Amino acid sequence: MQHDTMHHANWFKDAFGDLYPILYAHRSVAQAEQEARFAAAQLQLKRSDFLLDVCCGGGRHLMHLMNCAGATFGLDYSRYLLDEARATLPASRLVRADMRAIPFVNAFDAVTSFFTSFGYFLEDAENARVLTEIARSLKTGGRFFIDHVNAQHIEEKLAPRTVRWLESHEIREERWIDRNSRRLNKKAAIFQQGVCIREHRESVRLYAPQEFESLLRTAGLATVSFFGGFHGEPLAREHARMIAVGAKV
């Protein structure tokens, strides 16, 4: 596979369809339980809280967070993943929307964002706008939990090429960092009997902790803690995640 083709600015509009649950089958409801439990503890969720999960996907985190907050809502752009979520979650609490235009104002006590659902947009101002929208959806003093990839860890541990099998499908994945745009890109090709039948692309902006904290502060979100993983690991190069926890000021 070659990676000399620029990712399209709207790559995310097609990336979260029926192929996505296959590529990320290991990201299960059971696997999400510890992540949701850690988020709930850091946010100090209680039964009176209203919570919004931004980019909720199929709702695997929401299924656990429902037991921690009084009312939980999910927002996603993908019709396909929202349909999956509706099979197990109250449909009235699932909203299709662009995270750059969250249709709530001063409504939530807590907002979560899991699994690197930030940094999708090619323009930095568009990514910053997402944080502004998260802040706008929170009540004053409302808390946030944003789980992003740790750029330093990726720089050192990125696997440029991997091959794996899922039933009769061979999945060839290629990952690379565009130094100019500071983006982590991924292309997956699905083969059956040696023939490529589908392709999947992803691209997210990488952030240093100080840069991310500055973006949060500009949006009116004060960072209280950074973590490197869902067991409370410190943010360090040996840990894969960059989790920011804080509150709206």
Side-chain angles (χ1 to χ4, degrees):
M1 288 188 290
Q2 300 296 319
H3 58 242
D4 54 355
T5 301
M6 178 72 171
H7 274 65
H8 191 274
N10 293 323
W11 65 269
F12 56 90
K13 290 187 175 181
D14 303 314
F16 301 101
D18 61 336
L19 191 60
Y20 184 80
I22 297 172
L23 288 172
Y24 291 101
H26 57 293
R27 300 290 184 177
S28 64
V29 171
Q31 184 263 347
E33 183 176 7
Q34 166 59 31
E35 298 176 358
R37 187 186 306 120
F38 181 73
Q42 294 304 316
L43 293 170
Q44 299 180 352
L45 290 182
K46 51 188 181 295
R47 296 301 301 178
S48 59
D49 284 340
F50 278 59
L51 177 141
L52 174 67
D53 188 22
V54 175
C55 295
C56 65
R60 60 195 185 95
H61 291 96
L62 273 176
M63 288 184 67
H64 303 293
L65 291 169
M66 285 176 63
N67 300 320
C68 305
T72 52
F73 294 77
L75 178 148
D76 206 282
Y77 187 80
S78 168
R79 294 184 190 275
Y80 179 87
L81 293 179
L82 283 173
D83 283 343
E84 280 207 334
R86 288 188 182 99
T88 53
L89 298 167
S92 62
R93 293 185 182 175
L94 295 170
V95 179
R96 182 175 185 263
D98 189 314
M99 58 181 157
R100 292 168 292 184
I102 296 175
F104 300 101
V105 180
N106 300 326
F108 295 101
D109 301 288
V111 169
T112 55
S113 173
F114 293 94
F115 195 35
T116 317
S117 296
F118 180 77
Y120 286 1
F121 309 109
L122 298 188
E123 297 295 327
D124 285 341
E126 294 293 277
N127 292 313
R129 182 177 170 185
V130 174
L131 297 179
T132 300
E133 288 294 290
I134 287 175
R136 194 170 68 94
S137 72
L138 281 168
K139 301 173 184 176
T140 300
R143 295 92 69 199
F144 66 88
F145 182 101
I146 300 176
D147 162 39
H148 200 63
V149 65
N150 182 355
Q152 189 177 34
H153 181 85
I154 287 292
E155 291 272 0
E156 297 184 4
K157 301 294 185 180
L158 184 69
R161 291 177 176 84
T162 55
V163 178
R164 56 192 171 99
W165 287 85
L166 187 65
E167 298 179 351
S168 62
H169 295 92
E170 180 188 11
I171 303 173
R172 303 178 189 175
E173 294 170 305
E174 186 175 8
R175 305 167 186 85
W176 70 99
I177 296 172
D178 184 320
R179 305 291 176 181
N180 293 326
S181 61
R182 289 178 288 175
R183 298 188 71 85
L184 170 64
N185 301 309
K186 176 180 175 181
K187 181 165 66 173
I190 315 301
F191 287 78
Q192 193 168 36
Q193 296 180 337
V195 178
C196 182
I197 58 172
R198 298 280 294 277
E199 283 194 349
H200 172 91
R201 293 173 180 267
E202 299 176 22
S203 179
V204 296
R205 174 74 149 79
L206 296 173
Y207 294 93
Q210 298 85 348
E211 182 182 17
F212 194 53
E213 188 167 22
S214 177
L215 284 175
L216 290 164
R217 191 183 312 113
T218 300
L221 300 170
T223 308
V224 174
S225 303
F226 273 112
F227 297 97
F230 287 95
H231 294 278
E233 300 93 330
L235 179 58
R237 67 180 65 196
E238 63 267 25
H239 298 133
R241 310 308 300 168
M242 179 180 72
I243 300 170
V245 183
K248 177 179 177 179
V249 294

